Amino acid sequence: MTGTGVHSGAPVSVILHPAAIDTGLRFLVTKRNRIIAEIPATVEHVKNLTLCTVIGNDDGVTVGTIEHLLSALRGLAVDNCIIEIDSKEVPIMDGSAAPFVDLIDEAGIRELQAPRRYIKVLKPVRVQEGESYGELLPHAGFHVDVEIDFPTPLIGNQRVAFEMSPGVFRHEIAKARTFGFMSDVERLWKAGLALGANLSNTVAIGDDKVMNPEGLRFPQEFVRHKMLDAVGDLALAGKPLLAAFRSVKGGHRLNSLVVQALLADKDAWTVATVPHVRETKHVDMHFAVAAGE
Ligand SMILES: [Zn+2]
């Protein structure tokens, strides 16, 4: 895929390569067709979480805005992939994970001849900062529950919760776009950020209305996007989680801190395998109805 970095405004291309068992999700950074770094998408490599998730190595090579692509990979249960990228930022595409999902669907996913390994959460892990918190609880699947609260009536309090599966991710989460406030734009531009942001890749929130002529793609698109971000940030654990995640007024920083807190406590998790159950259309329907709005 080719596109533009939302912060740099620079053109970038990304190639997703098949990868062997236990590769995990890894970025291969190139410059003028030469490999300059290989950076695993894990929480130890996180360098910055101010507006997006940035990972890097000790030589100062970084890749930013990785969360929507990681979310698509984790959301579709892709555990092993080499992500070749020729710039410092994953392209923003339409601000959601849907373009990545479409391309992965087009390429197809191959099941490898090995049991799928998970990080199984054994006891609650919580990180709290004021009114915001994120927590992981023991759970036999991957349940994600996200709540946000913004003072503007255009957003207000929103909460969604899903038992996550590729079907639920595809139908309920992948299309939710990133959003930003018009009142922040000038400040960000002065700081050299969000230079590539526009109405084709961001839901822009004005004083009393959404500025995008097409409006919203979902009711509660904002909190669904926060869930999309959380799925991507939790992918930095390095393996899929068997856990229930709950986030209240959180964001990239808190999501990463929860993963760090989990991995730092050796009594809080173990690596487990579970028998593979192939998802069926019936399961998709069931989840979609159960989630109903
Ligand atoms: Zn996002």
Side-chain angles (χ1 to χ4, degrees), residues 67-68 95 178 225 228-229 252:
E67 60 271 16
H68 302 163
T178 195
H225 185 80
L228 188 163
D229 283 340
H252 295 306

Side-chain angles (χ1 to χ4, degrees), residues 12-290:
V12 49
S13 64
V14 171
I15 304 169
L16 303 182
H17 295 278
I21 293 165
D22 282 341
T23 305
L25 306 176
R26 300 173 82 90
F27 283 87
L28 196 68
V29 187
T30 64
K31 196 172 184 177
R32 291 183 213 97
N33 297 319
R34 234 170 28 87
I35 296 167
I36 58 166
E38 191 170 341
I39 310 170
T42 58
V43 78
E44 305 94 84
H45 293 87
V46 168
K47 298 289 178 197
N48 189 331
L49 295 161
T50 321
L51 287 171
C52 64
T53 304
V54 179
I55 56 169
N57 67 8
D58 293 339
D59 301 330
V61 180
T62 60
V63 185
T65 320
I66 61 174
E67 60 271 16
H68 302 163
L69 175 56
L70 291 187
S71 186
L73 290 164
R74 178 58 78 233
L76 299 185
V78 177
D79 294 337
N80 301 293
C81 183
I82 301 276
I83 305 154
E84 182 183 336
I85 182 163
D86 67 353
S87 184
K88 289 176 151 188
E89 206 182 352
V90 173
I92 189 66
M93 310 309 281
D94 72 350
S96 79
F100 304 126
V101 166
D102 290 346
L103 286 165
I104 295 166
D105 280 346
E106 216 173 285
I109 296 169
R110 179 177 298 159
E111 262 179 63
L112 301 177
Q113 294 304 309
R116 200 169 180 216
R117 292 162 74 220
Y118 296 81
I119 292 177
K120 181 180 180 178
V121 173
L122 301 175
K123 64 177 197 186
V125 173
R126 177 170 169 138
V127 177
Q128 177 124 19
E129 288 187 335
E131 290 183 336
S132 306
Y133 70 87
E135 69 182 355
L136 286 163
L137 303 167
H139 177 64
F142 182 39
H143 189 266
V144 186
D145 177 343
V146 176
E147 182 175 346
I148 58 173
D149 202 344
F150 284 85
T152 166
L154 283 170
I155 304 181
N157 184 278
Q158 300 190 353
R159 180 177 179 185
V160 286
F162 292 107
E163 186 65 38
M164 199 56 71
S165 69
V168 168
F169 185 83
R170 211 179 248 112
H171 300 302
E172 305 287 347
I173 304 301
K175 292 188 183 73
R177 292 162 298 171
T178 195
F179 58 94
F181 294 91
M182 292 298 287
S183 53
D184 289 335
V185 166
E186 203 161 299
R187 182 176 57 79
L188 290 170
W189 283 349
K190 273 189 187 145
L193 293 166
L195 298 175
N198 59 54
L199 294 181
S200 73
N201 57 36
T202 305
V203 177
I205 301 162
D207 288 337
D208 56 359
K209 63 173 198 275
V210 166
M211 309 303 284
N212 306 55
E214 75 281 11
L216 296 178
R217 290 178 174 178
F218 292 105
Q220 300 185 312
E221 183 168 0
F222 305 110
V223 72
R224 286 169 192 262
H225 185 80
K226 287 288 190 179
M227 183 177 280
L228 188 163
D229 283 340
V231 171
D233 290 336
L234 295 178
L236 296 170
K239 290 184 182 62
L241 294 170
L242 286 177
F245 177 68
R246 168 128 165 90
S247 165
V248 174
K249 299 189 188 186
H252 295 306
R253 218 179 82 76
L254 212 50
N255 296 342
S256 261
L257 289 176
V258 174
V259 173
Q260 278 172 17
L262 171 74
L263 297 180
D265 183 350
K266 292 274 184 255
D267 295 333
W269 59 279
T270 187
V271 174
T273 57
V274 291
H276 181 69
V277 182
R278 181 174 280 279
E279 183 168 277
T280 64
K281 281 278 180 292
H282 176 75
V283 173
D284 286 8
M285 287 300 295
H286 170 75
F287 277 121
V289 172

